[in-house]
Amino acid sequence: MKATVKAPAKINLTLDIVGKRADGYHDVAMVMQTVSLYDTVTVETTDGEGIEVSCPAYPDVPTDDSNIVCKAAKAFFQTTGVQPKPLKITIDKVIPTQAGLAGGSSDGAAVVLALNQLFETHLKMEEMADICARFGSDVPFCLLGGTMFATGTGTTLKKLRSMPSCYIVICKPEVCVSTAAAYAACDAREPKGFLYTDELIKRLYSRDIRGLATCLYNEFEQVMELPEINEIKKLMLSAKALGASMSGSGSAVYAIFLDKKKAEKCANILKGKYNKVFLTQPLKEGCRVESTELSE
């Protein structure tokens, strides 16, 4: 049996840190958006043992039990009571790693969706999202996708009006940002008392893409010294982007355009300096099944 799932990347239109919780995690307020940049995840039942993971394009991605796709499979079997079967999981990875684009989280969500198909458990999306929340805060969003308001640790989701049609250029530099250091820097600053997320949601409902682009916000950018991120944003804005921001804990940066030719020109300029540049559009969905073979 085999199922193949398309797993999209996400960007953060906003990321406000609301405060630190007693359990050490952080409360956030953010708007997340899936975009048309995909990993392809194939899940097959095998005659082998355990879970075999391969990720040919990214040899540095772990293929042992620490990979989120293994955690996803185990959470699925534990939650549903389905007898675990040996699996082969192949990740055709296009979404850059250590980028703040939730590639790993989306791969994990894709596995839950694939197993629901293969074992015909007929779980609703909300039930699968509950499984996803067991092994990652971004994972339920990656499963459901579209445009969503996330609060709590990021797992409390509310569907919003879809982002207006536009073009989104994404650039991932080689530099990486330490998530732990970013949160520590946020903890050390005074609360700002204003949520950019609230303002951006208003612009979503007024269908004001230009106004929305002025409300893009990432708190990590404000508290960290990130010269290369700032340089990419300058390049994007000089190429007539409506707005630009870092996604998640970085280091991917994205810019919003209404005009496709301007977006393409921006992408080409960035490709002269960076290897990982993508031209995408906003999606109204998350992970989706591309094909299923149920016969043994």
Side-chain angles (χ1 to χ4, degrees):
M1 299 192 300
K2 180 165 74 172
T4 300
V5 176
K6 299 289 275 186
K10 68 88 186 166
I11 58 171
N12 289 82
L13 299 179
T14 60
L15 196 167
D16 284 297
I17 307 298
V18 177
K20 192 171 184 180
R21 297 152 52 107
D23 59 11
Y25 289 95
H26 288 78
D27 281 318
V28 297
M30 52 192 181
V31 176
M32 296 194 286
Q33 174 67 52
T34 43
V35 295
S36 57
L37 172 64
Y38 301 92
D39 287 349
T40 303
V41 180
T42 303
V43 182
E44 303 173 70
T45 55
T46 72
D47 295 325
E49 292 183 8
I51 301 171
E52 176 191 345
V53 180
S54 66
C55 185
Y58 278 77
D60 56 328
V61 169
T63 55
D64 58 12
D65 282 358
S66 67
N67 192 302
I68 195 167
V69 297
C70 293
K71 296 174 183 177
K74 289 174 181 176
F76 173 84
F77 289 129
Q78 288 168 0
T79 307
T80 60
V82 170
Q83 183 65 32
K85 280 200 172 187
L87 301 173
K88 179 182 179 184
I89 303 174
T90 305
I91 307 167
D92 179 9
K93 180 156 275 300
V94 178
I95 303 169
T97 58
Q98 296 181 300
L101 298 173
S105 295
S106 202
D107 296 342
V111 168
V112 173
L113 186 58
L115 292 174
N116 185 54
Q117 289 286 119
L118 292 178
F119 292 98
E120 299 181 277
T121 39
H122 305 293
L123 297 175
K124 295 175 182 175
M125 291 297 280
E126 294 78 11
E127 293 172 307
M128 286 188 279
D130 287 342
I131 295 174
C132 290
R134 293 165 63 112
F135 57 90
S137 58
D138 281 346
V139 189
F141 169 75
C142 292
L143 175 76
L144 301 167
T147 312
M148 287 205 179
F149 176 39
T151 54
T153 58
T155 56
T156 302
L157 300 171
K158 180 184 177 184
K159 189 171 180 60
L160 298 173
R161 188 170 187 179
S162 297
M163 185 178 183
S165 178
C166 61
Y167 298 92
I168 301 168
V169 175
I170 298 173
C171 176
K172 165 65 171 74
E174 291 301 315
V175 67
C176 293
V177 179
S178 165
T179 306
Y183 273 115
C186 288
D187 292 341
R189 78 183 281 193
E190 288 293 315
K192 60 184 183 296
F194 173 83
L195 296 183
Y196 284 81
T197 298
D198 293 342
E199 193 59 35
L200 185 130
I201 291 172
K202 290 177 192 172
R203 304 301 173 95
L204 268 176
Y205 280 92
S206 64
R207 311 305 289 159
D208 176 11
I209 187 69
R210 293 178 186 278
L212 180 149
T214 66
C215 295
L216 304 177
Y217 178 78
N218 187 323
E219 192 140 346
F220 293 145
E221 275 190 71
Q222 308 305 311
V223 298
M224 301 285 283
E225 289 290 329
L226 302 168
E228 191 160 15
I229 304 305
N230 292 330
E231 185 59 35
I232 294 170
K233 286 176 67 177
K234 282 180 187 175
L235 279 171
M236 290 170 158
L237 293 170
S238 67
K240 310 299 184 192
L242 299 178
S245 183
M246 187 172 78
S247 183
S249 57
S251 59
V253 186
Y254 68 89
I256 294 175
F257 293 84
L258 266 179
D259 185 279
K260 187 177 183 181
K261 287 185 178 178
K262 287 179 182 176
E264 289 172 338
K265 185 176 179 181
C266 176
N268 287 331
I269 292 168
L270 290 164
K271 283 175 182 176
K273 193 171 181 181
Y274 299 98
N275 293 325
K276 295 169 185 170
V277 179
F278 310 91
L279 178 56
T280 72
Q281 291 182 272
L283 299 174
K284 294 182 180 179
E285 61 189 1
C287 292
R288 71 169 194 265
V289 177
E290 196 169 52
S291 65
T292 308
E293 298 171 21
L294 294 180
S295 56
E296 291 285 358

